[in-house]
Each structure stands twice: as C-alpha cells, then as structure tokens.
Amino acid sequence: MRLRALLDTDALGLRLLGGEDELDRSVRGVMTTDLRDPTRYLSGGELVLTGLAWRRDARDSEPFVRTLVQAGVAALAAGEAELGDVPDDLVLACTRHRLPLFAVHESVAFATITEHVVRQVSSERAGDLAAVVDRHRRMMTSGPAGGGPDVVLDLLGSDLDLQAWVLSPTGRLIAGSKEAGPALPAETCAKLAAEHLAAVRTGRRGPHRFLLDGATYSLFPIRSSGRSPQGARDVRETVLSDWLLAVEADAGDWPEERMDLLQGVTQLIAVERDRRDAARTVRRRLAQEVLELVQTGAAPAEIAARLRVAAPVLLPGLGAAPHWQVVVARVEWEGEQIEGGPVAQSLLEEMLVDPLATGPEPSDRIAVAHTGDEAIALVPLPAVSAEHDGSETGLLADSLLQSVRRPLSAGLNDDGRLTLGVSAAVHSAEGLRGALEEARHARRVAAARPGRVCAAGHQELASHVLLLPFVPDDVRRAFTARLLDPLKDYDRRHRAELIPTLEAFLDCDGSWTRCATRLHLHVNTLRYRVGRIEQLTGRDLSRLEDKLDFFLALRMS
C-alpha cells in the first residue's frame, strides 16, 4: 500500500507533519518500537510507530531518524498520547532526511494502525490470507468467539496448506493448527526451540531453516508488538522470552509475497503474547507485595492477610488455604552488566506451567517477582491431606529442568547461566521466610555445579545446611579452625580482608566480574586475594567440594 492511503482513512487519526513529496512510497509492514536503535528488527519498508519514550532531549532525534533512514523504513508515525505535540526537533530531523512523518492522535491506539496496515498489505499482495487479517479482532479476543493463535494457525493450514505451531523459548507447545494433525512430540518442540535460540544468539536473521527427521522447518521469531522490552539494547535481554512460529516448510523457496504474509502472521500472534504478559501484571504485583513483607520481617499475621488475597487469584475456587513453595532463579551473563531479573522472571513464569498443558492460559497460576538479577516465584499448591507434611508434594528441582535444559542451554550459549533453587512446601505465613532462604541456599548449591543450566532442591540441603545444628561443637570448631584460622590470622597481620573476600566470592557463585564489582576491586586484585586464600588453605576454589567446605565453615563460624 502507499503512504498517502493512510491519510485517506480518518479512523487512523494520522496528521502529516512532513514529507508530502514522499507519499507514494510503498509500505511493506509495520513495527511499534521505543528502542533508540531498532535496526535489528527492521527489514525495510516499514511504517514505524513510536511513543517517543526513547527521546530524552532534542539531541536524540537526529540519530534516531538517521538510524531509521539507513534501515530503509517507509515513514515514521509519532504518538501524541505521552508528550502531546510531536517535538519540533523530530520534525526537523525527518525533513532533513526526507523521512515522512505523521502525528498519531492520542485517541488512536497503535494496535488500530497496525491492524489496518497489516490488513491492507496482506490483501494487496495475496488474497489467500486476507481472511487472517480481517478476522484479527476475533482471533485475539479471549471470549467464546476468540481462539487466540490457534485460529491464525488454522487459517494458515486451510488457506495456504501450511502446518504451523507456536512454541515458547523453552519448547512448550502454545498453539497448533488442526491441519497439522497430532501435536508435535515434546522432544521435537525442544529441538526446534534449541535450534531457534542458537540461531538468534549467532545473529542470523530469521526465518531459520532446520532439517529434523526428514522434514524441513522454518522458524520465525515472534517479538512483542508493543513497546516492551523498554530500551533493550542486547539480544540477550529478550532471547529467552520471545515465542517462535515453526512452519513445516522450506521458506527459502518462498516468493517475497508469501514471506511478507508470514511476517504479518507473526505480528498478529504477537498481540496474543502481549495480552498474556499484560494479564500477569496483577500476579506479579501480588508476588512482589508478599515477598517484600517476608524479606522485611513483617508480622506473620500481615503476611497471612496478603496470602489470603493472593490465594483466590492464583487458585480460584479452592476451599482450603494452599501450601506454598518458593522457587528462586538467577540468570547471569559473563562480562556484561545485563539485568537478568526480568529474563529470569519470564523463564520462571514459563517453566512453572504444567508441562502437559498447552496454550498461554495455564500460566495464570504463577506469581513471580524480580529484584536485580534474581527472580522469586511464589507457587501455590493445593493443601495436602493431614497424613502428609507436604515434603513429598509440589515441585522438584530436577523435573523443572528436565524438558527445558536443551533449548535454554542453546539460548544461554557460552556466556550465560541459569541457576534454580526450590524450597520445601510450607503451609503457613510463618514458614515463608525460611522457605525463601532455603530456596536461595539451594540455588547457591546449584551455582557451584558445572553447566549452563543447573538446579538444586531442598532435599539436597538436608545433608549439610539443615543438619549443621546437630554437628557436635568440637567437630564444628575443628572444621572451621582448619579452614578459616589461617585466613583470620593473615587478615589480622596484613589487613588483607581475605574472609570478606571469600564470603563475597561464594555469594557471587564464583563470578569474578560480579564479585569484583561488589567489593569495588579490580579483577586482578580479586584474583590475587583468591590465590592467597588457596595458598594459605591448600584448597582450590574452582572445585565444588572445596567451595562447599568453605561455605559450611563460614556458616558454622
């Protein structure tokens, strides 16, 4: 479609601010972004929609517009909902670079413009998928007339004879077309997700083609159609949260028109993804409120009151108060200051879904908060009967990772780690603080192990941390003295702070970068101190056994 056609549709609320001579440009797609540099998501010919969140001052407009022009976009449309009138500096930058600029009235949602453009582009290029776009609203509503991504995939099957599935980054099957027949086996889903994540990490542009068991699959990324993730500058901030569309066909043989249609379909499915994320807001807030009360030492009665509010939301219709488990996850990247908390939060919300469930809705029983690099899940469990204490029910650390280890390892590549800790089930507000500490200790045990994806449960703590009070005093003193006295003596003589360094090093799971940052040291200084610790004690802090011995000695000292 032509740009000038957008001005002929009053419902779009577009007002031309510059570029009248360029209105015959063709529009091949649409993208919503508030990234300062959205280049990696652009292929040329798009109408770019922005709420201007990337703009801090007038100097930001010129580089933003220059980036869009270099990517070959057709035009820019700026929303007036946040800042009011479009800034003059943006108008001047677009004029200088001959980039058509539209203002979007505050009463018009970007989704309305996206739907209109996708509909027009698709219908002009091929009539065989026009029905998909025309039925956009019905497909993406959650009511009885809806159906979410499944309806889109059914139309792909009936109109284009394409078998397709929507997968999560962990390989969970979210949706599939009826035309595709039986659901994809879990192993196939995991392999497809792993291949997709590996391709994204190497910087290859989608779709990614993959031959598996004699069939060729084309894998299309499904990225957020809204403004999230805000300010993402690194692919690692989103690679473990984006869905993917797997089509059993070789996209390398497709004409450009069909490729554009499939890109449009991914935009439609992204609407469902955004709707799911929005629905999690209440549960995330409940988790944050409960965990803040737990961590600040609030009275059990206050925590219990908050839990009574959370239980009906997370387990509607449940008569008795549930038991609870706590799961702690941390995602860390080597050598970069990338906040891992949001990524860990998204992963926990996905991993804690019943592995036998399909679709996006089963995740509405999960409440996850995040702080810094750490995500914490509050998992409700139906109350167990009186003859059980809850220790044999609920989540097990190994089972959480069993089906997701392969794809997540591919996404983490050789510079990321995911570690998990799972607490025992508790039945009261009084037990939540202990459950949180238990899950954190279990995660530290997992972090001491080799591998990109590791987990530990409360059962594994029973052999050391939970049994420490029962160790005879003379044994405890001898054990700690043998390991820590040489360090304490050295600290007294040289003020070397080896003990604080050891504590920080273990707390940072042996990460040189994070530990040096926490201690405000150069990495070389940290390496010198750790070397001195190893020299004085005859231990090797790269070995799991020695790390655990030091951890126990510090706990008992």
Side-chain angles (χ1 to χ4, degrees):
M1 65 177 298
R2 305 290 181 183
L3 282 175
R4 64 175 66 255
L6 296 173
L7 295 173
D8 297 333
T9 307
D10 294 337
L12 298 183
L14 295 176
R15 179 164 49 89
L16 184 65
L17 299 181
E20 185 173 358
D21 295 336
E22 307 292 332
L23 292 180
D24 284 328
R25 292 185 182 185
S26 296
V27 179
R28 299 177 61 247
V30 61
M31 176 194 178
T32 300
T33 186
D34 276 321
L35 302 180
R36 302 182 70 183
D37 182 3
T39 305
R40 70 165 63 95
Y41 304 119
L42 297 170
S43 56
E46 294 92 351
L47 170 66
V48 173
L49 307 174
T50 181
L52 302 177
W54 50 266
R55 182 185 178 277
R56 292 170 298 186
D57 56 46
R59 293 171 296 181
D60 292 333
S61 292
E62 172 66 24
F64 179 76
V65 171
R66 184 169 60 251
T67 297
L68 297 185
V69 171
Q70 291 172 349
V73 305
L76 176 65
E80 297 179 323
E82 295 293 333
L83 302 180
D85 293 338
V86 177
D88 291 339
D89 49 270
L90 181 59
V91 176
L92 290 174
C94 288
T95 301
R96 186 179 303 113
H97 290 278
R98 301 178 63 84
L99 180 67
L101 175 64
F102 300 92
V104 183
H105 193 271
E106 63 180 2
S107 63
V108 179
F110 283 177
T112 301
I113 300 174
T114 298
E115 179 182 347
H116 176 82
V117 172
V118 173
R119 181 190 297 118
Q120 294 302 315
V121 170
S122 299
S123 61
E124 288 178 5
R125 292 186 172 180
D128 57 358
L129 205 57
V132 172
V133 184
D134 290 337
R135 293 161 66 181
H136 177 204
R137 291 187 187 279
R138 187 181 69 79
M139 289 187 288
M140 294 309 165
T141 58
S142 58
D150 299 273
V151 179
V152 184
L153 302 184
D154 286 343
L155 288 174
L156 277 178
S158 61
D159 292 1
L160 296 184
D161 195 26
L162 290 176
Q163 298 181 357
W165 303 264
V166 177
L167 305 178
S168 78
T170 63
R172 184 172 68 89
L173 181 63
I174 293 172
S177 64
K178 296 183 180 67
E179 299 290 333
L184 281 179
E187 184 178 357
T188 300
C189 292
K191 290 179 179 178
L192 292 175
E195 175 66 20
H196 173 73
L197 293 176
V200 172
R201 286 305 312 274
T202 57
R204 289 157 47 195
R205 295 180 67 91
H208 311 120
R209 289 176 287 165
F210 180 46
L211 181 63
L212 178 62
D213 298 332
T216 299
Y217 295 87
S218 296
L219 310 176
F220 295 79
I222 299 174
R223 299 189 175 96
S224 172
S225 65
R227 302 178 185 179
S228 62
Q230 292 281 4
R233 298 178 299 275
D234 193 304
V235 68
R236 289 172 291 186
E237 297 180 37
T238 58
V239 65
L240 297 179
S241 58
D242 286 339
W243 288 357
L244 67 131
L245 174 68
V247 181
E248 190 176 347
D250 188 345
D253 299 332
W254 289 357
E256 183 179 353
E257 290 79 7
R258 175 158 292 199
M259 189 72 75
D260 289 341
L261 288 174
L262 264 293
Q263 296 291 357
V265 168
T266 64
Q267 292 181 8
L268 298 183
I269 298 174
V271 175
E272 173 63 27
R273 154 79 192 280
D274 292 340
R275 186 190 66 79
R276 183 201 66 166
D277 285 347
R280 286 177 168 171
T281 303
V282 172
R283 297 186 293 280
R284 288 173 172 175
R285 186 171 64 248
L286 283 172
Q288 194 72 48
E289 291 173 353
V290 171
L291 291 169
E292 285 178 359
L293 291 174
V294 171
Q295 295 184 99
T296 56
E302 187 177 358
I303 300 174
R306 186 62 62 186
L307 287 176
R308 284 194 293 272
V309 173
V313 176
L314 301 176
L315 289 175
L318 188 68
H323 285 67
W324 303 90
Q325 273 184 287
V326 175
V327 181
V328 173
R330 186 184 285 266
V331 172
E332 297 168 294
W333 305 99
E334 296 175 4
E336 297 287 346
Q337 295 298 320
I338 299 174
E339 187 179 9
V343 179
Q345 180 182 49
S346 178
L347 280 179
L348 274 186
E349 288 171 334
E350 175 59 38
M351 292 165 59
L352 294 174
V353 175
D354 183 346
L356 299 179
T358 60
E361 297 306 327
S363 60
D364 66 2
R365 301 297 181 262
I366 310 301
V368 187
H370 79 83
T371 55
D373 289 333
E374 183 181 70
I376 305 169
L378 190 64
V379 183
L381 304 170
V384 294
S385 57
E387 63 268 23
H388 291 91
D389 62 2
S391 60
E392 298 180 359
T393 66
L395 303 170
L396 297 176
D398 288 341
S399 62
L400 277 178
L401 297 183
Q402 186 172 3
S403 62
V404 303
R405 181 175 275 108
R406 176 171 182 165
L408 292 184
S409 296
L412 292 163
N413 201 1
D414 59 357
D415 60 351
R417 286 201 80 197
L418 167 67
T419 50
L420 288 173
V422 182
S423 79
V426 296
H427 66 278
S428 66
E430 290 87 344
L432 272 182
R433 187 170 187 179
L436 176 58
E437 288 304 313
E438 191 174 63
R440 282 176 166 159
H441 285 313
R443 193 206 63 78
R444 292 190 184 101
V445 171
R449 297 169 174 165
R452 291 291 165 191
V453 182
C454 299
H458 62 93
Q459 304 93 335
E460 299 174 68
L461 299 182
S463 62
H464 40 82
V465 175
L466 300 184
L467 295 181
L468 291 183
F470 302 99
V471 177
D473 289 342
D474 56 342
V475 175
R476 291 159 63 97
R477 284 193 295 269
F479 182 76
T480 57
R482 186 169 61 253
L483 278 177
L484 301 184
D485 280 3
L487 306 182
K488 293 177 180 177
D489 291 341
Y490 192 87
D491 280 349
R492 277 194 297 269
R493 295 196 310 270
H494 303 282
R495 298 182 180 179
E497 299 188 42
L498 296 185
I499 292 292
T501 299
L502 175 62
E503 291 174 332
F505 187 75
L506 294 176
D507 193 49
C508 292
D509 307 323
S511 168
W512 298 100
T513 303
R514 286 201 301 114
C515 185
T517 301
R518 175 179 296 190
L519 296 175
H520 305 290
L521 296 175
H522 191 279
V523 172
N524 289 340
T525 303
L526 175 62
R527 291 185 185 277
Y528 173 81
R529 288 188 183 180
V530 171
R532 179 64 68 183
I533 291 171
E534 293 174 334
Q535 181 184 31
L536 291 171
T537 60
R539 299 301 186 105
D540 182 353
L541 275 167
S542 67
R543 296 179 68 248
L544 171 61
E545 293 84 353
D546 288 344
K547 285 181 181 177
L548 287 177
D549 282 349
F550 277 121
F551 173 73
L552 294 173
L554 289 169
R555 285 295 303 269
M556 291 189 294
S557 63

